[in-house]
Structure formats: structure tokens, C-alpha cells
């Protein structure tokens, strides 16, 4: 959640009086993202997104705590971006450190997501979403080759 009157975001389970939104989920992962923990990452994200419900439109991965990622993690992130887009949910990145951004670039993740959806800070991503949410949301939901998501079903990405 956002600390009121600031551009800072904190863990809603550790801090009180934060501003939470039902359409935006900001998550932070503080570890290397690699083959040994990608299942944990996916399961945790699935649980949180299911709790958010059908109003969720944007996930921002605050990646400042991810010092490295391997090819397994790269493929998992690509799959997540694709799956969430099919459900009309944007998946963006913020605070990606240089070496990890280089890995994402070499692994073609930046092209898949779109370089314009990699932000310097979480608030930059949220502000961009606010300014463009009608256009951005339509980009994903207006595609005719993507089946319409059932908002009542739970998300689980294998």
C-alpha cells in the first residue's frame, strides 16, 4: 500500500494506515529469482491476485530486491505476463537494477512486456496507469484472439 501523501509503498501486513487499491497490486520480491524459488513466487502471486479479485487491472513488480534471475525465472515471467494479459491484467516492472534489466533484455522479456512498461519507481508506474488506464486496459481486452476471462474463477498458472 501507499504511504499517504508520499510516493512510497510498504507491506500492508507490516504497516498500518496505507492506501490500498483494488485495481492495482504492487509486489516486491527480495531474493534472486531462479529455478529453486519460481514455484514459490508463482504460488504467492496467484494467492495475492486471487485475494485482490476481479477488479485487479495492474500488477507492478517492484524488482529492486531481485539481484539476479536465471532462464527458468525469465520463462516464468514471460508466461505470467502472457497469462495475466489474457485476463486483462497488465504486468509491469519497476526499480529493476541494471544487471537484471540487461538479463531481461537479452532474454527478450523487455520486448514482450514493452520497454515503456519498465519504470524507474513504483509511483511512476501507478501514475502512468492512472493517466492511461483506459487506453492500456483496452489494449489487452480488445484483442479478439484472447478468450474472455471468467472474473469469478481463481487464477492458477502452471
Amino acid at each position: 500500500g501507499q504511504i499517504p501523501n508520499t510516493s512510497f509503498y510498504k507491506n500492508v501486513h507490516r504497516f498500518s494506515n496505507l492506501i490500498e487499491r483494488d485495481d492495482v497490486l504492487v509486489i516486491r520480491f527480495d531474493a534472486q529469482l531462479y529455478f529453486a524459488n519460481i514455484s514459490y513466487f508463482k504460488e504467492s502471486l496467484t494467492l495475492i491476485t486471487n485475494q485482490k479479485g476481479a477488479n485487479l487491472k495492474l500488477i507492478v513488480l517492484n524488482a529492486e530486491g531481485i539481484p539476479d534471475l536465471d532462464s527458468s525465472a525469465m520463462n516464468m515471467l514471460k508466461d505470467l505476463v502472457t497469462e495475466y494479459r489474457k485476463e486483462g491484467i497488465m504486468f509491469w516492472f519497476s526499480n529493476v537494477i541494471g544487471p537484471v534489466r540487461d538479463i531481461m533484455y537479452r532474454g527478450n522479456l523487455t520486448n514482450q512486456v514493452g520497454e515503456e512498461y519498465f519504470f524507474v519507481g513504483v509511483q511512476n508506474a501507478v501514475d502512468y496507469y492512472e493517466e492511461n488506464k483506459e487506453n492500456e486496459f483496452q489494449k489487452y481486452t480488445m484483442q479478439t484472439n484472447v478468450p474472455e476471462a471468467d472474473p469469478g474463477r481463481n487464477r492458477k498458472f502452471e
Side-chain angles (χ1 to χ4, degrees), residues 108-121:
N108 206 34
L109 180 63
T110 53
N111 286 335
Q112 181 180 344
V113 173
E115 289 185 21
E116 66 272 27
Y117 303 121
F118 283 77
F119 296 89
V120 173

Side-chain angles (χ1 to χ4, degrees), residues 29 31-35 37-38 61 63 66-78 93 96-97 99-107 109 118:
F29 194 73
Q32 174 182 351
L33 196 50
Y34 69 120
F35 72 94
N37 64 9
I38 59 174
L61 174 58
I66 301 175
D68 196 12
L69 63 123
D70 70 2
S71 61
S72 298
M74 178 74 66
N75 290 327
M76 180 268 305
L77 288 171
K78 287 179 181 179
F93 296 84
V96 181
I97 65 171
V100 173
R101 194 174 49 249
D102 293 343
I103 293 168
M104 291 176 165
Y105 182 78
R106 284 191 307 269
L109 180 63
F118 283 77

Side-chain angles (χ1 to χ4, degrees), residues 2 6-9 21 23-27 57-63 90-96 113-134 136-137 140:
Q2 183 181 14
T6 74
S7 61
F8 299 105
Y9 289 76
R21 298 176 55 156
D23 62 335
V24 176
L25 171 64
V26 177
I27 60 167
K57 303 295 180 230
L58 171 64
I59 298 168
V60 178
L61 174 58
N62 178 351
M90 296 165 280
F91 193 113
W92 297 349
F93 296 84
S94 73
N95 302 84
V96 181
V113 173
E115 289 185 21
E116 66 272 27
Y117 303 121
F118 283 77
F119 296 89
V120 173
V122 171
Q123 191 62 51
N124 301 101
V126 173
D127 290 346
Y128 184 85
Y129 167 72
E130 277 301 312
E131 294 165 7
N132 300 285
K133 63 184 170 185
E134 295 303 319
E136 295 300 325
F137 184 64
Y140 300 114

Side-chain angles (χ1 to χ4, degrees), residues 138-149:
Q138 289 177 359
K139 181 190 297 188
Y140 300 114
T141 59
M142 301 289 277
Q143 294 179 6
T144 57
N145 62 337
V146 177
E148 188 171 326

